[in-house]
Amino acid sequence: MHRFPLIRSRWLHTTRPAQYFGPCKTTEKTFDKILIANRGEIACRVIRTAKRMGIKTVAIYSDADANSLFVQQADEAYRVGPAPTSQSYLNMDAILDAIKASGAQAVHPGYGFLSENSGFVKRLDEAGVAFIGPKEYAMAAMGDKIQSKIIAKKAGVNTIPGYDGVVRDAEHAVEIAADIGYPVMLKASAGGGGKGMRIARTAHEVREGFKLASDEAQSSFGDSRILVERFIEEPRHIEIQIIADNNGNILWLPERECSIQRRNQKVIEEAPSTHLDAQTRRKMGEQAVALARNVGYNSAGTVEFLVDKQRNFYFLEMNTRLQVEHPITEYITGFDLVEEMIRSASGLELTTTDQSKVEINGWAIESRVYAEDPEKYLPSIGTLSKYVEPRSWKTENDVRCDSGINEGSEISMYYDPMICKLSTHGPTRADAIATMNHALDQYLIKG
């Protein structure tokens, strides 16, 4: 375990707007020091709020990230292993050593890596370290798509017609498909990120898709279990953000629409959705809260739904962590979701517990900017020789750039090639889109 010497340099002191949700609302004591078990832009994001709250931060880093921006921004940093994630950011023993060496009282997991690993939460509990996220049971229950669907039904949440148990084999899948009606979706029970998913419209496609989906699920998640459910034609992917504390308070926040995807992965998100009316929004929010309450949820989480043309909505899954696209919710509500997570983990109530005070302020759009080949959409690695982020345009803070890089940074083969999450806000959807177009035009990326 080596503590990385902190190097302060001119490029750390940017003029990037720091507040998108007003002044820090927390005056009470939370934690003295937290460790961020992640890297890149989400580590920078957590550090920003921690500093607003007067909390010292600890970064962990792999050899590939030794000179990264998040390492420089943290108050302390500890090496946890070589570049491969299995030897660094998924290395629980090394991370626990860093927690002990630094004296961190709590851990924020960001998203990805160990953020939805209930085994990691259990080890932190055993070490007497707070996890800035949900409890072990809630995470485990919602992390399994089969189990979460059963729980959702019991909580009175609309679910897609399908089979609740484990599908034994391809022939069993064909029987289920015939019973619920075509087309069907075969997807990994433990999956995410579009992996282990196949659409089937005939028995032949079910047999073929079952093998492909189960093989991919085993390779990606170490779990080959597949579930089968009705495929909703031309659906919209709309999700409800919830925040909860350890005192039984749960709020639902206005929706994000994430329907623009490629390879089942989100690319453009907006909040709110053009598709929902106030009544549907409220019903979805109330069902999201019912589900969260059923599992004793106590942090930030997202309940994802598929919504059809008639605004019928169906539970898809619950993500028991901070979502990549959380900035647009912060834009339209004024909540700092990381602050709410830290408050909850420390035993405090949410900054407000009154659902009636949650309002929609304007419109927000997020674009995920990737270092990729524009023809094949494959990661493009290398050094950023020129990098200039767009600034506010019409009003202060109407452009937000969540990144973890600077000019000279390396886009590594070992990690996600996302450069940043570019978000814009305006009083109307047209204003937010215009600001996004301007920001993308002003964004300079060369490498």
Side-chain angles (χ1 to χ4, degrees), residues 116-119 121 134-154 189-190 225 227 291-297 315-320:
E116 293 181 282
N117 188 312
S118 58
V121 179
K135 294 171 183 171
E136 179 190 354
Y137 167 74
M139 181 179 289
M142 290 294 98
D144 186 301
K145 286 186 172 61
I146 294 174
Q147 180 68 14
S148 66
K149 190 173 179 180
I150 294 171
I151 292 171
K153 278 187 175 181
K154 290 181 179 177
S189 174
R225 290 178 303 154
L227 61 85
L291 177 60
R293 199 173 297 285
N294 188 276
V295 294
Y297 207 80
F315 171 72
L316 184 62
E317 64 182 355
M318 182 175 186
N319 292 309
T320 57

Side-chain angles (χ1 to χ4, degrees), residues 170 186-188 194-199 204-221 223-226:
L186 299 96
K187 61 184 181 181
K195 295 181 175 66
M197 297 174 63
R198 294 293 186 279
I199 299 167
H204 173 72
E205 289 180 359
V206 169
R207 292 186 181 93
E208 187 177 68
F210 182 88
K211 182 180 188 325
L212 292 171
S214 58
D215 287 349
E216 188 173 344
Q218 180 64 41
S219 174
S220 299
F221 313 112
D223 185 340
S224 63
R225 290 178 303 154
I226 295 296

Side-chain angles (χ1 to χ4, degrees), residues 32 120 133 187 189 196 238 291 308 323 364 367 370 386 410:
D32 296 317
F120 183 54
K187 61 184 181 181
S189 174
I238 299 176
L291 177 60
D308 67 18
Q323 289 281 84
S367 300
Y370 289 91
K386 191 70 175 177
E410 292 284 332

Side-chain angles (χ1 to χ4, degrees), residues 135-397:
K135 294 171 183 171
E136 179 190 354
Y137 167 74
M139 181 179 289
M142 290 294 98
D144 186 301
K145 286 186 172 61
I146 294 174
Q147 180 68 14
S148 66
K149 190 173 179 180
I150 294 171
I151 292 171
K153 278 187 175 181
K154 290 181 179 177
V157 179
N158 301 344
T159 58
I160 301 171
Y163 183 70
D164 293 335
V166 176
V167 182
R168 297 189 302 271
D169 52 33
E171 291 308 313
H172 188 206
V174 170
E175 292 175 17
I176 295 167
D179 184 51
I180 64 177
Y182 289 99
V184 297
M185 170 72 82
L186 299 96
K187 61 184 181 181
S189 174
K195 295 181 175 66
M197 297 174 63
R198 294 293 186 279
I199 299 167
R201 301 180 185 278
T202 66
H204 173 72
E205 289 180 359
V206 169
R207 292 186 181 93
E208 187 177 68
F210 182 88
K211 182 180 188 325
L212 292 171
S214 58
D215 287 349
E216 188 173 344
Q218 180 64 41
S219 174
S220 299
F221 313 112
D223 185 340
S224 63
R225 290 178 303 154
I226 295 296
L227 61 85
V228 180
E229 61 189 19
R230 175 79 62 79
F231 175 66
I232 307 300
E233 299 275 14
E234 298 182 37
R236 287 176 179 256
H237 186 136
I238 299 176
E239 57 192 31
I240 299 291
Q241 175 74 57
I242 61 152
I243 48 176
D245 60 33
N246 284 293
N247 301 289
N249 300 302
I250 307 176
L251 297 179
W252 62 268
L253 306 185
E255 76 283 355
R256 299 182 292 256
E257 176 153 358
C258 312
S259 300
I260 300 177
Q261 303 183 12
R262 53 97 205 248
R263 298 200 299 267
N264 295 312
Q265 293 185 320
K266 303 165 188 173
V267 178
I268 305 286
E269 299 100 347
E270 66 178 308
S273 168
T274 59
H275 188 56
L276 297 191
D277 55 20
Q279 182 180 20
T280 307
R281 176 180 296 116
R282 177 180 55 78
K283 287 180 178 178
M284 291 174 71
E286 289 173 349
Q287 289 197 14
V289 168
L291 177 60
R293 199 173 297 285
N294 188 276
V295 294
Y297 207 80
N298 66 311
S299 190
T302 296
V303 182
E304 300 193 359
F305 294 93
L306 290 181
V307 185
D308 67 18
K309 293 178 181 179
Q310 289 75 41
R311 297 197 185 99
N312 298 306
F313 59 90
Y314 307 94
F315 171 72
L316 184 62
E317 64 182 355
M318 182 175 186
N319 292 309
T320 57
R321 54 170 167 78
L322 191 65
Q323 289 281 84
V324 174
E325 59 272 19
H326 76 274
I328 55 176
T329 296
E330 293 180 331
Y331 253 147
I332 68 166
T333 64
F335 282 92
D336 179 337
L337 295 180
V338 175
E339 181 181 2
E340 302 295 342
M341 294 178 77
I342 292 172
R343 287 178 63 90
S344 176
S346 69
L348 297 177
E349 288 191 335
L350 301 173
T351 54
T352 181
T353 59
D354 186 351
Q355 183 68 54
S356 68
K357 291 184 178 179
V358 178
E359 298 177 338
I360 300 176
N361 173 32
W363 216 283
I365 308 283
E366 178 181 286
S367 300
R368 302 192 189 189
V369 181
Y370 289 91
E372 292 187 348
D373 181 321
E375 293 182 356
K376 298 181 179 179
Y377 295 109
L378 296 174
S380 182
I381 62 174
T383 303
L384 286 170
S385 58
K386 191 70 175 177
Y387 184 74
V388 182
E389 294 179 349
R391 303 300 182 187
S392 296
W393 186 33
K394 294 181 178 180
T395 61
E396 185 179 7
N397 296 330

